[in-house]
Amino acid sequence: MNQISRRRFLKVSGMGVAVLGALPATNFAQTRRRVVVIGGGWGGATAAKYIRLTDPTIDVTLLEPNKEFISCPFSNLVLAGIESLKNLTMNYNGLRKHGVKIRHEAAAAIEPDKRRVRVGKDSLEYDRLIVSPGIDFQWELVEGLAQAKDTVLHAWKAGPQTIQLAKQIQSMPDGGVAVMNVAPVAYRCPPGPYERASLIAWYLQSKKPKSKLIVLDANKDIVSKTGLFKAVFKGYPNLEYRPSQKVEKIDVGAKEVTTETGDKVKYDVVNLSAPQRAGAIAVEADLVGGDKRWCEVDHVTYESVKQKNIHVVGDATIGLPVPKGGNMANAMGKICATAVVHLLNGKEPSMIAPGNTCYSWVNDKEAIVVVNSYKIEGRKVVQIEQKLSPGKSVGVAQNSLAWRTSIWNDVLG
Amino acid sequence: MRNLSAVFRYAVSLLREKMFPLPLRERVKVRGSVRRTHPHLNPLPSRERRFLRFASAENFAGNSVSLLCLTIATLALVLAAAEADAGPLDSPGAQKALVCSACHGFAGNSPGDSVPILAAMAPSYFKKAINDYAAGRRPSPEMEPYSKYVLQFGLDEIADFFAVQRKQAPARGKTDPQALSRGATLASQCAACHGAHGDGDAFRAVPALQGQPAAYLKAQMDLFKGDKRKLEDADQEKTKKTMFKGLDAADFTDLAAYFATLK
């Protein structure tokens, strides 16, 4: 045993000396590396935090015009009066504690050649830029919508519109018709419109039993959790689901929308989302691909395939077999953050795939869930497995509350 | 400082793993130390204890030298971390566990009431749980896909990453004192396997229940009672079934409340 001990001593003390020897090799006078993050949503806030967590020597500036973070997940519950927007609203102080510099300003433009971002009259230089711009709407694709966009609400970015739409629904007379659409894929939060439809139908069923909800889906079928939502919709006779009915025109005066098949549908309350694309800054900086809508990225580092040193995370990305949503943006934010740290330190980024957990509430107590896990294969994200809850349940709803507590903390805490 | 201590703990875990073939828990018992809280609890079956004592006596000299080396090497690692780019996430296990924090909290300290805390979890039980989810022995729409996610990386590094994290259960709401007292009485039945303090038995991959969120514990008991979660070991399964026959949902609530408050 003594011999083994000696050998072990040599081996282990050698390890210690080797590490000590490596010390002088690290660069004491390294210039401060700068990362700028555009957008403090699920992807951007997470990325900013995790860069600081992974390497506190990196200088991180987050550009986010809003002073508060409002969670899109759970905002459909506000429309049905089940949840208050206040409970979904958080501040950015947690990120400040991690040493993230926050400027509540919008990025005016990205200048990739000069590696800088213009903010008002100022400009911020970066070594790596992370863009998490979320989504914007292609208003021009629905006739009459651009002019009416202040009164015809999308409520697809949680905030003032969420509260306004809730009020519109609540003040609709019993017997009234609410109309909502589902935008053509790809759009933010694939199950979101169907969760919204379920919750509005639940609200009408309990508060305005003579009213009904018409859902005009631009897609051929329910896009996500299809079987589960079909079962849920059966429990809402006041919900009329019409597939392949892309809304092409709105006439606010006549309170009427027209679909691609020429059907005219009258409404008392309307909720429309125009087709979506990546946030405007990504389009202006030419980060979007041939479709002019979404940003293609490397699946390991989230670096744009079009612009070097610029990474894109969250709903603005395309090409990965993953849904656009908060959990995915959070996963991308973390993976991208560690990749950026590795790159800035001259290391090879780890091959880490994302995962996604997605809950949808279908009434005031029950929810359903879909979970996807992924791996990296040939430098591409590939799905390993998808699993759905067997049906709606209170247990799943309870898990969703645990999820939100945890993930909000992961994004902002 | 938080970063430094995480790096330190990680370094210790790495070296520990290299030098000692057994998990820390067993090693502590072997070397005659006592657990801070309840030294008499959760003894290993006598045969294992004898074996470990024997193994320990043989390795004593080696361990002393190893401890010295461990200190040198750890100090060096900490120094390196202090000025270089290493952070708490700069370990392979941390990288591979990146997505877990969405539900399980940073470093496995889950703030949600129905999600288990992974920080300081015995690697033996972590691995058993992942394998059980992947094999369908534990039904969960959330964990079935994620167990396969974890398996793509192998279990060792992720299990070790969580095992060395400090458990920091968040403050949860107040619990009814009567429920706690009922739970404490009922908990005597659990002690044979889970230890009288609910601290589990890493050697047999029996989970620690102490400080786990109440809703999680309750959900697991409901699954056991409903025969939806099964134990792989036939004897354990039989014991569990007999025990659960005499317990109902209200008992589960009390038990969960009790174990959740244990530290």
Side-chain angles (χ1 to χ4, degrees):
Chain A
M1 293 313 293
N2 280 344
Q3 276 198 345
I4 291 173
S5 301
R6 226 176 291 137
R7 197 179 304 153
R8 189 186 278 170
F9 174 80
L10 289 172
K11 192 171 154 192
V12 178
S13 58
M15 245 169 83
V17 173
V19 178
L20 279 170
L23 283 181
T26 50
N27 191 354
F28 281 92
Q30 201 163 37
T31 51
R32 207 155 171 80
R33 283 82 41 90
R34 297 148 306 177
V35 172
V36 175
V37 181
I38 297 178
W42 291 70
T46 305
K49 169 181 162 177
Y50 270 81
I51 287 178
R52 294 286 305 167
L53 273 175
T54 314
D55 187 346
T57 68
I58 295 173
D59 188 283
V60 179
T61 305
L62 173 66
L63 297 169
E64 167 54 54
N66 295 311
K67 293 246 164 76
E68 287 175 319
F69 173 101
I70 306 176
S71 171
C72 254
F74 286 87
S75 65
N76 278 333
L77 277 74
V78 177
L79 301 178
I82 299 164
E83 181 56 285
S84 111
L85 200 67
K86 216 176 122 194
N87 291 340
L88 312 183
T89 305
M90 284 146 273
N91 63 42
Y92 285 101
N93 291 342
L95 294 188
R96 289 188 181 95
K97 284 184 192 147
H98 289 290
V100 176
K101 294 170 188 163
I102 302 174
R103 290 180 60 164
H104 289 300
E105 292 168 87
I110 301 168
E111 296 171 343
D113 299 341
K114 293 172 183 157
R115 284 204 200 173
R116 64 184 193 197
V117 178
R118 275 202 285 110
V119 188
K121 288 175 185 166
D122 205 0
S123 68
L124 288 172
E125 295 186 347
Y126 61 78
D127 296 297
R128 294 261 166 190
L129 173 68
I130 299 176
V131 186
S132 184
I135 54 139
D136 265 322
F137 300 96
Q138 295 174 297
W139 306 106
E140 66 284 2
L141 296 182
V142 179
E143 191 185 329
L145 188 54
Q147 305 86 306
K149 66 181 179 189
D150 294 332
T151 51
V152 177
L153 306 171
H154 54 78
W156 216 241
K157 297 179 180 185
Q161 286 217 357
T162 313
I163 291 175
Q164 286 173 43
L165 183 59
K167 278 186 187 151
Q168 288 185 5
I169 295 167
Q170 281 154 23
S171 53
M172 183 175 80
D174 192 9
V177 175
V179 170
M180 64 169 282
N181 78 328
V182 183
V185 291
Y187 61 84
R188 163 177 284 178
C189 189
Y194 311 103
E195 179 192 58
R196 177 172 292 187
S198 306
L199 289 170
I200 293 176
W202 171 82
Y203 171 81
L204 295 178
Q205 199 175 53
S206 42
K207 298 280 162 63
K208 300 179 195 292
K210 290 180 219 150
S211 296
K212 72 171 178 178
L213 171 70
I214 298 172
V215 180
L216 301 171
D217 195 337
N219 307 288
K220 282 184 196 143
D221 201 354
I222 293 172
V223 171
S224 170
K225 301 174 188 163
T226 311
L228 289 172
F229 274 117
K230 279 187 175 164
V232 167
F233 285 2
K234 275 188 189 152
Y236 292 121
N238 59 349
L239 189 160
E240 199 181 315
Y241 174 71
R242 300 184 191 171
S244 300
Q245 290 289 312
K246 187 163 85 180
V247 172
E248 293 197 325
K249 185 181 166 188
I250 179 159
D251 183 339
V252 182
K255 287 192 154 192
E256 184 181 84
V257 294
T258 309
T259 71
E260 57 187 317
T261 52
D263 289 13
K264 291 183 190 303
V265 183
K266 292 258 186 203
Y267 65 80
D268 293 292
V269 170
V270 70
N271 169 213
L272 285 190
S273 164
Q276 299 172 11
R277 61 166 169 77
I281 187 121
V283 179
E284 287 153 15
D286 194 27
L287 296 170
V288 292
D291 63 358
K292 298 281 174 212
R293 290 174 74 193
W294 307 109
C295 310
E296 204 182 323
V297 292
D298 178 81
H299 290 203
V300 174
T301 62
Y302 296 88
E303 186 168 7
S304 162
V305 299
K306 295 191 77 179
Q307 301 284 1
K308 273 207 171 310
N309 304 312
I310 300 181
H311 302 248
V312 186
V313 293
D315 294 345
T317 59
I318 196 91
L320 292 85
V322 303
K324 298 187 186 302
N327 197 137
M328 184 51 66
N330 163 261
M332 288 178 175
K334 287 187 276 192
I335 299 164
C336 175
T338 53
V340 162
V341 170
H342 276 99
L343 290 166
L344 288 175
N345 286 303
K347 292 185 197 162
E348 191 62 33
S350 313
M351 297 276 180
I352 305 292
N356 192 61
T357 311
C358 168
Y359 297 96
S360 304
W361 282 58
V362 296
N363 57 41
D364 61 332
K365 291 182 187 71
E366 295 171 303
I368 54 179
V369 66
V370 64
V371 181
N372 293 24
S373 63
Y374 303 90
K375 60 182 174 181
I376 305 274
E377 211 171 71
R379 226 185 150 82
K380 291 280 172 201
V381 169
V382 178
Q383 183 170 296
I384 301 173
E385 186 173 285
Q386 180 182 72
K387 183 95 186 171
L388 294 138
S389 55
K392 59 181 180 177
S393 78
V394 175
V396 171
Q398 188 184 34
N399 286 353
S400 79
L401 295 173
W403 170 84
R404 82 177 197 183
T405 308
S406 186
I407 200 162
W408 286 345
N409 193 55
D410 202 33
V411 175
L412 298 162
Chain B
M1 276 322 287
R2 211 173 91 184
N3 295 347
L4 272 185
S5 70
V7 171
F8 181 81
R9 281 200 303 281
Y10 178 67
V12 169
S13 79
L14 269 185
L15 289 163
R16 198 175 67 205
E17 191 192 327
K18 291 272 176 273
M19 284 186 279
F20 305 106
L22 291 164
L24 177 65
R25 259 194 140 89
E26 281 70 35
R27 193 161 52 77
V28 167
K29 283 170 198 146
V30 167
R31 290 170 54 232
S33 306
V34 289
R35 294 181 55 78
R36 245 178 307 155
T37 43
H38 288 253
H40 61 287
L41 299 177
N42 189 28
L44 289 166
S46 57
R47 204 174 38 178
E48 279 86 346
R49 222 172 26 226
R50 262 203 314 277
F51 168 74
L52 294 179
R53 208 177 295 133
F54 177 67
S56 159
E58 264 205 330
N59 277 319
F60 182 74
N63 283 355
S64 304
V65 178
S66 301
L67 269 177
L68 179 70
C69 311
L70 177 139
T71 314
I72 296 171
T74 306
L75 264 175
L77 274 179
V78 168
L79 280 171
E83 61 80 49
D85 47 286
L89 296 171
D90 204 23
S91 77
Q95 295 274 307
K96 290 165 185 172
L98 265 184
V99 305
C100 309
S101 61
C103 296
H104 290 279
F106 186 69
N109 277 300
S110 155
D113 200 31
S114 61
V115 179
I117 293 172
L118 305 180
M121 183 176 272
S124 58
Y125 180 65
F126 179 88
K127 293 177 191 181
K128 181 186 185 307
I130 294 294
N131 284 321
D132 283 352
Y133 282 123
R137 283 188 291 270
R138 289 181 73 167
S140 161
E142 288 92 346
M143 277 314 296
E144 284 172 55
Y146 278 116
S147 61
K148 284 157 196 170
Y149 179 94
V150 174
L151 282 170
Q152 71 176 302
F153 298 117
L155 291 168
D156 290 345
E157 287 171 332
I158 300 183
D160 288 349
F161 166 71
F162 284 121
V164 299
Q165 302 304 318
R166 192 180 296 131
K167 195 168 171 184
Q168 291 167 312
R172 301 182 203 272
K174 277 191 182 166
T175 321
D176 170 18
Q178 288 190 326
L180 284 184
S181 124
R182 286 194 303 268
T185 311
L186 288 165
S188 60
Q189 303 174 63
C190 316
C193 295
H194 289 281
H197 199 59
D199 46 1
D201 180 352
F203 198 83
R204 293 191 294 157
V206 174
L209 307 177
Q210 52 182 203
Q212 286 295 353
Y216 167 71
L217 293 173
K218 165 83 165 59
Q220 297 313 303
M221 288 186 270
D222 287 337
L223 288 171
F224 279 133
K225 176 93 178 176
D227 225 14
K228 286 177 183 154
R229 181 178 167 186
K230 291 184 201 311
L231 297 172
E232 206 180 354
D233 182 286
D235 287 342
Q236 285 181 359
E237 174 69 16
K238 207 174 148 190
T239 312
K240 179 216 81 187
K241 265 196 172 165
T242 316
M243 190 175 296
F244 273 68
K245 257 185 198 160
L247 298 169
D248 61 21
D251 295 332
F252 296 158
T253 306
D254 295 343
L255 276 167
Y258 169 70
F259 282 116
T261 53
L262 294 183
K263 291 209 167 76

